[in-house]
């Protein structure tokens, strides 16, 4: 087993997740099996109770784990399925150690950060590294005979954060346990370029590497992030003052697409370096997989036709809040050779109260919505902004604009239909009005026992199609069922579904028991689809999500032609 540790310096949000994912992609392209672990030093057990403005979206795994969005990057880049234990937090480690102490495993000893917490981190990493994550279910391990496996993990935050110190100490010890030929440290740092001088500054990187060495870890590779390509003189300076060879300094400047990052790394000789440093039995050249990435990156940059999608949500001030939604739309747009123009619309700005308080903002929001080729209402929680989402859904339904509602977006589509087509003016979700006379969306008591963390209906669940006459069924390849990831506490009221179906809103997908409504489709509409699950979590760059692909096809006016071709994309 080979271990590659990715640490960050200078600032957080520097792109460690994309760098780690790209390195994994390169190694996988060389025939190695790769798994990934993300370490987050916060005390939360998982990311499930975070506001999206804290750390971006909550990414959901097949096993129901609510984890950091970087695991979404790992899954998309490496085309693997991770588990909740692939996301380590301080909370999980301390809970694990405290439970062992209560059980009596440390009987007679004083439980301390060193060695008990640091040992628990190392033990967790080694155990989770062995868990298969590929479809072939082979254990990620280096093998002389066949394609070998490499283990990749990322340490969240930046070097110097006090909360991350136990993890740094754990890996200081771990590098000797794993042996030098099995352990490699990559440090991602920032090379800023102040506008006042226009000069690229190396001092922050020097200080960051010095701090890392002071904690007992020496970087084998220094990946320098910058806004513009870095000059050779800067590379030589970093090499000299950080005590590494020039080929151990890698530059990654801002690019138009993250698909380009693995290509930049490969062009700077990273495969040859890993082969020598970790003694990997691989060729110096990447396989067809990386060539596919290069073609995809080239195609992305040559796109001319544009498709605009309005994302109507409540967390629009930070794009990371809808990271997987954006990626799913981007994958689908790329599949049909269009550039995505994603317009974020704060749903509160579509409401009448905004028209009274700030009419300019109100009319700007509606102008965006009206000019969009398609409309997407993603998942969310809480009553704020729901009336604006209902307005957007009503507009999409009545104006026959392509529409996709995900999770809460589907539930609100049901509420809007009840109010405006069934004339149930007080129809609502019990999440927003517990006393409504027409509860078209209700809570699931068995998934809401009181605690907030990990109590929803989570993870991969099966949805069975109830009819052959379904657009989404055709988009899924005419499968009888699909398995997608869920994250919700409320569901459509099954006792009222017949009222909707009589008026043309069909519940074409249900759970295996037929009690929970999973997919809605509106008759006589180009594309009006709602799904209770989150298909964006399963989207991959070369395998776009069918519901999102359907939205993009409908928005570009090519859905019918696609279906007539047997769901095959045109060259």
């Amino acid at each position: 087993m080979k271990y590659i540790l990715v640490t960050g310096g200078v600032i957080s949000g520097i792109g460690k997740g994309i760098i780690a994912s790209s390195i994994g992609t390169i190694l996988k392209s060389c025939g190695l099996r790769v798994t990934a672990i993300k370490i987050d030093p916060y005390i939360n057990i998982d990311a499930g109770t975070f506001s999206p403005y804290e750390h971006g979206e909550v990414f959901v795994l097949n096993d129901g784990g609510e984890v950091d969005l970087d695991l979404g990057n790992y899954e998309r880049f490496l085309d693997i399925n991770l588990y909740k234990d692939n996301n380590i937090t301080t909370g999980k480690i301390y809970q694990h150690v405290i439970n062992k102490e209560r059980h009596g495993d440390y009987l007679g000893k004083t439980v301390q950060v060193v060695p008990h917490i640091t040992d628990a981190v190392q033990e967790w990493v080694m155990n989770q590294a062995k868990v298969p994550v590929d479809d072939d279910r082979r254990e990620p391990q280096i093998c002389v005979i066949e394609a070998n496996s490499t283990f990749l993990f990322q340490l969240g935050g930046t070097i110097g954060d006090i909360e991350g110190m136990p993890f740094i100490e754990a890996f200081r010890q771990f590098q000797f346990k794993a042996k030098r030929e099995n352990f490699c440290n990559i440090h991602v740092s920032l090379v800023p370029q102040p506008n006042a001088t226009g000069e690229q500054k190396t001092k922050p990187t020097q200080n960051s590497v010095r701090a890392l060495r002071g904690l007992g870890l020496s970087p084998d590779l220094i990946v320098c992030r910058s806004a513009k390509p870095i000059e050779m003189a800067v590379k030589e300076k970093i090499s000299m003052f950080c005590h590494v060879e020039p080929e151990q300094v890698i530059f990654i400047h801002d690019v138009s697409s993250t698909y380009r990052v693995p290509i930049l790394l490969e062009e700077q000789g990273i495969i040859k370096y890993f082969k020598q440093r970790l003694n990997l039995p691989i060729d110096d050249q990447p396989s067809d997989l990386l060539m596919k990435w290069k073609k995809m990156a080239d195609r992305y940059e040559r796109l001319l036709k544009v498709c605009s999608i309005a994302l109507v949500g409540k967390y629009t001030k930070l794009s990371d809040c809808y990271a997987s939604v954006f990626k799913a739309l981007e994958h689908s747009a790329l599949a049909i050779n269009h550039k995505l123009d994603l317009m974020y619309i704060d749903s509160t700005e579509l409401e009448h109260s905004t028209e009274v308080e700030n009419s300019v903002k109100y009319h700007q929001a509606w102008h965006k919505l009206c000019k969009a080729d398609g409309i997407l209402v993603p998942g969310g929680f809480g009553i704020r902004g729901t009336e604006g989402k209902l307005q957007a859904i009503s507009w999409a339904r009545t104006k026959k604009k392509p529409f996709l509602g995900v999770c809460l977006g589907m539930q609100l589509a049901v509420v809007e239909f009840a109010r405006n087509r069934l004339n149930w003016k007080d129809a609502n979700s019990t999440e927003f009005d517990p006393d409504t006379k027409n509860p078209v969306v209700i809570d699931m008591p068995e998934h809401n026992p009181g605690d907030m963390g990990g109590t929803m209906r989570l993870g991969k669940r099966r949805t069975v199609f109830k009819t052959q006459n379904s657009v989404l069924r055709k988009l899924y390849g005419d499968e009888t069922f699909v398995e997608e990831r869920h994250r919700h506490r409320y569901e459509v009221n099954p006792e009222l579904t017949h009222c909707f179906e009589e008026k043309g809103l069909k519940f074409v997908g249900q759970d295996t028991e037929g009690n929970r409504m999973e997919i809605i489709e509106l008759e006589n509409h180009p594309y009006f689809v709602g799904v209770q699950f989150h298909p964006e979590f399963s989207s991959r760059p070369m395998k776009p999500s069918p519901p999102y692909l359907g939205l993009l096809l409908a928005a570009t006016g090519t859905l019918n032609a696609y279906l007539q071709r047997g769901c095959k994309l045109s060259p």
Side-chain angles (χ1 to χ4, degrees):
M1 184 68 71
K2 308 291 183 180
Y3 299 88
I4 299 173
L5 174 64
V6 178
T7 57
V10 184
I11 62 171
S12 60
I14 201 171
K16 295 188 303 297
I18 297 297
I19 298 294
S21 302
S22 299
I23 289 168
T25 300
I26 289 171
L27 292 173
K28 187 168 184 176
S29 77
C30 294
L32 302 172
R33 298 194 304 276
V34 186
T35 186
I37 286 179
K38 173 73 189 296
I39 296 175
D40 285 305
Y42 45 67
I43 298 176
N44 304 63
I45 298 296
D46 58 32
T49 56
F50 280 143
S51 160
Y53 285 134
E54 286 284 319
H55 291 271
E57 74 169 5
V58 177
F59 190 81
V60 179
L61 303 172
N62 280 345
D63 65 355
E66 297 172 288
V67 297
D68 185 87
L69 61 82
D70 271 327
L71 274 81
N73 286 325
Y74 299 152
E75 287 203 345
R76 284 187 288 268
F77 271 71
L78 299 172
D79 194 17
I80 56 177
N81 292 304
L82 299 172
Y83 300 89
K84 62 178 72 175
D85 286 344
N86 287 82
N87 193 189
I88 303 176
T89 68
T90 296
K92 283 182 182 177
I93 294 294
Y94 273 78
Q95 186 181 60
H96 174 70
V97 170
I98 290 168
N99 288 342
K100 289 180 70 175
E101 187 276 330
R102 292 290 83 189
H103 188 258
D105 292 7
Y106 305 122
L107 210 55
K109 296 180 181 177
T110 302
V111 181
Q112 297 175 292
V113 173
V114 180
H116 300 101
I117 295 296
T118 53
D119 284 352
V121 172
Q122 296 174 64
E123 179 187 333
W124 194 305
V125 166
M126 288 189 291
N127 289 338
Q128 197 59 30
K130 299 173 185 176
V131 178
V133 293
D134 285 308
D135 291 338
D136 61 14
R137 309 308 300 159
R138 288 190 291 173
E139 182 179 316
Q141 61 185 10
I142 290 291
C143 179
V144 176
I145 300 170
E146 58 184 58
N148 306 305
S149 57
T150 300
F151 170 63
L152 171 74
F153 53 82
Q154 177 197 339
L155 184 59
T158 55
I159 295 303
D161 288 350
I162 191 169
E163 58 188 0
M165 289 303 170
F167 295 105
I168 295 293
E169 173 59 22
F171 289 112
R172 186 196 68 78
Q173 299 172 19
F174 187 73
Q175 64 185 331
F176 301 109
K177 184 182 292 186
K179 307 300 182 186
R180 173 173 167 76
E181 65 271 17
N182 298 323
F183 184 88
C184 180
N185 179 15
I186 298 176
H187 191 59
V188 185
S189 185
L190 177 69
V191 177
Q193 190 170 5
N195 290 331
T197 63
E199 182 185 1
Q200 293 171 330
K201 298 293 184 180
T202 65
K203 190 64 72 176
T205 297
Q206 294 177 42
N207 291 337
S208 180
V209 171
R210 187 181 301 118
L212 182 62
R213 284 212 172 94
L215 295 168
L217 287 169
S218 292
D220 296 287
L221 285 175
I222 300 173
V223 177
C224 300
R225 289 280 293 108
S226 62
K228 298 177 181 177
I230 294 177
E231 299 161 5
M232 186 54 64
V234 175
K235 179 174 186 172
E236 291 170 351
K237 189 174 182 181
I238 291 172
S239 167
M240 180 170 61
F241 286 104
C242 294
H243 197 62
V244 294
E245 295 289 338
E247 59 265 24
Q248 293 173 258
V249 181
I250 307 292
F251 297 153
I252 301 293
H253 59 274
D254 291 349
V255 288
S256 59
S257 163
T258 54
Y259 306 134
R260 182 63 63 187
V261 178
I263 312 304
L264 290 176
L265 289 169
E266 188 271 329
E267 287 173 351
Q268 295 179 66
I270 202 167
I271 294 177
K272 183 179 179 182
Y273 178 79
F274 278 134
K275 180 181 178 180
Q276 296 172 346
R277 173 66 180 77
L278 294 175
N279 194 26
L280 299 175
I282 59 175
D283 295 328
D284 289 346
Q285 298 300 319
S287 69
D288 293 340
L289 177 61
L290 202 59
M291 293 302 103
K292 288 180 181 177
W293 275 83
K294 188 177 189 308
K295 289 177 182 177
M296 185 168 60
D298 291 342
R299 189 156 57 91
Y300 180 89
E301 292 169 1
R302 290 197 302 264
L303 295 174
L304 297 175
K305 292 184 282 188
V306 177
C307 179
S308 60
I309 300 294
L311 188 154
V312 182
K314 60 187 287 189
Y315 310 114
T316 54
K317 292 182 176 65
L318 179 66
S319 60
D320 272 356
C321 296
Y322 299 110
S324 291
V325 170
F326 170 72
K327 287 299 179 184
L329 289 168
E330 188 179 61
H331 299 161
S332 297
L334 184 58
I336 62 171
N337 296 311
H338 278 68
K339 190 180 285 287
L340 175 68
D341 176 20
L342 184 59
M343 299 182 290
Y344 292 95
I345 300 176
D346 188 332
S347 56
T348 59
E349 294 177 3
L350 299 172
E351 297 175 357
H352 178 67
S353 58
T354 302
E355 184 181 20
V356 175
E357 297 167 5
N358 190 333
S359 61
V360 173
K361 188 176 285 188
Y362 172 83
H363 288 293
Q364 286 175 342
W366 272 101
H367 176 69
K368 275 188 189 178
L369 187 74
C370 293
K371 74 176 185 178
D373 298 317
I375 298 169
L376 170 68
V377 176
F381 297 91
I383 194 170
R384 183 177 69 83
T386 53
E387 289 303 318
K389 292 176 184 177
L390 288 167
Q391 293 285 336
I393 293 167
S394 181
W395 194 85
R397 180 179 62 80
T398 56
K399 301 297 181 183
K400 295 191 181 297
K401 277 282 183 182
F403 165 79
L404 175 63
V406 176
C407 196
L408 178 62
M410 167 185 154
Q411 295 171 6
L412 290 178
V414 172
V415 172
E416 188 278 331
F417 195 87
R419 290 182 181 180
N420 297 319
R421 286 288 284 119
L422 302 184
N423 209 30
W424 300 348
K425 295 304 181 185
D426 68 337
N428 214 331
S429 166
T430 56
E431 179 182 5
F432 313 129
D433 182 4
D435 301 319
T436 177
K437 292 179 181 178
N438 289 295
V440 295
V441 178
I442 58 175
D443 64 328
M444 300 179 292
E446 74 274 26
H447 290 286
N448 187 14
D451 290 341
M452 295 297 288
T455 58
M456 289 183 280
R457 185 169 179 249
L458 293 164
K460 187 167 75 170
R461 311 273 177 152
R462 180 168 292 189
T463 295
V464 180
F465 287 105
K466 296 299 180 181
T467 175
Q468 297 234 352
N469 187 26
S470 162
V471 172
L472 211 51
R473 177 170 178 164
K474 293 173 185 174
L475 288 166
Y476 272 105
D478 205 29
E479 298 287 345
T480 56
F481 67 86
V482 294
E483 292 183 325
E484 294 280 9
R485 302 176 187 183
H486 293 67
R487 184 177 186 246
H488 65 110
R489 191 173 274 119
Y490 295 84
E491 63 174 342
V492 174
N493 190 340
E495 295 181 2
L496 302 175
T497 55
H498 64 280
C499 301
F500 293 89
E501 297 214 328
E502 289 170 2
K503 292 290 186 177
L505 188 67
K506 303 296 184 180
F507 294 89
V508 300
Q510 301 171 11
D511 71 346
T512 51
E513 285 76 36
N515 297 326
R516 298 210 159 101
M517 304 302 113
E518 294 280 0
I519 304 172
I520 61 169
E521 292 180 10
L522 182 62
E523 291 182 340
N524 303 316
H525 193 286
Y527 190 80
F528 190 95
V529 173
V531 291
Q532 184 59 72
F533 45 82
H534 287 266
E536 64 270 18
F537 294 142
S538 302
S539 183
R540 302 288 187 263
M542 299 175 198
K543 291 185 287 187
S545 166
Y548 285 91
L549 181 61
L551 176 65
L552 269 292
L553 287 165
T556 55
T558 56
L559 178 59
N560 288 335
Y562 175 77
L563 296 176
Q564 288 168 7
R565 288 195 304 269
C567 294
K568 293 180 180 178
L569 293 168
S570 57

